[in-house]
């Protein structure tokens, strides 16, 4: 597995940064968020402001109360994340970090315990999520997942909108808001 620093310095990070109008991020083992662009941070959370250990989708979805408000169908998102984590755990059954994460989430989240006990597996390939963003409102976004050929444990997730949709307008507003916020800093 490549380290967070190696991904941040890679051509992949340059690709993420060049995709300013598409929220995109890279997920690694155990649902760790390894890299992201400004629009993904504006859409989901400011990953850069989080300690590296907290840059984890499973931790965010199950332990961050703000995530419950961000996803219109939080139970479906939670089920997807738990099933994706279980798939990852099956690929690497002896991974101590996975065991620690599952124990932490099981102790802190009854929803995670229930979903984990279902033993569902799901790869994150493509789909849709509806976000209820505090700045721009409702965004109905599709996502596509691209696996990295030299590291199948890493996946690039990019969100898109339908051309001419209200979600496209909202995403453009979020992008403009993000650029303005970064220009001011």
């Amino acid at each position: 597995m490549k380290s967070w620093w190696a991904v941040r310095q890679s051509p992949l990070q340059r690709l993420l940064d060049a995709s300013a109008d598409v929220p995109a991020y890279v997920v690694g083992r155990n649902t760790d968020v390894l890299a992201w662009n400004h629009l993904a941070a504006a859409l989901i959370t400011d990953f850069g402001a989080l300690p590296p250990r907290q840059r984890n989708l499973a931790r965010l979805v199950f332990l961050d109360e703000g995530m419950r408000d961000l996803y219109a169908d939080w139970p479906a998102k939670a089920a997807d994340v738990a099933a994706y984590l279980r798939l990852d755990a099956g690929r690497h059954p002896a991974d101590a970090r996975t065991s620690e994460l599952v124990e932490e989430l099981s102790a802190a989240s009854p929803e995670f315990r229930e979903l984990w006990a279902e033993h569902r597996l799901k790869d994150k390939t493509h789909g849709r999520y509806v976000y209820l963003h505090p700045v721009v409102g409702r965004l109905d976004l599709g996502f596509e997942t691209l696996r990295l050929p030299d590291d199948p444990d890493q996946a690039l997730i990019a969100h898109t909108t339908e051309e001419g949709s209200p979600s496209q307008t909202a995403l453009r507003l979020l992008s403009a808001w993000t650029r303005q916020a970064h220009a001011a800093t």
Side-chain angles (χ1 to χ4, degrees), residues 76-141:
K77 175 65 176 180
D80 285 352
V81 169
Y84 183 74
L85 181 60
R86 183 170 281 287
L87 180 67
D88 187 58
R91 286 186 201 135
H92 307 282
D95 188 329
R97 286 185 55 237
T98 305
S99 296
E100 290 170 13
L101 178 61
V102 169
E103 287 175 20
E104 174 189 351
L105 296 174
S106 294
S109 171
E111 295 92 347
F112 178 81
R113 271 194 311 276
E114 289 175 26
L115 291 166
W116 193 254
E118 292 176 7
H119 297 276
R120 287 183 52 233
L121 302 173
K122 183 174 183 181
D123 199 359
K124 188 179 187 85
T125 56
H126 64 278
R128 303 194 82 67
Y129 289 118
V130 175
Y131 293 84
L132 303 174
H133 195 274
V135 174
V136 297
R138 182 183 172 93
L139 295 121
D140 183 351
L141 303 178

Side-chain angles (χ1 to χ4, degrees), residues 156-175:
L156 171 68
I157 294 100
H159 292 276
T160 60
T161 61
E162 303 248 347
E163 187 69 33
S165 69
S167 293
Q168 184 183 43
T169 302
L171 192 58
R172 285 180 177 160
L173 287 171
L174 184 60
S175 181

Side-chain angles (χ1 to χ4, degrees), residues 48-69:
L50 298 173
R53 176 177 156 77
Q54 298 305 315
R55 296 177 194 148
N56 177 281
L57 287 180
R59 275 193 188 93
L60 289 168
V61 166
F62 288 101
L63 304 181
D64 183 329
E65 287 298 319
M67 291 293 130
R68 292 176 188 264
D69 296 332

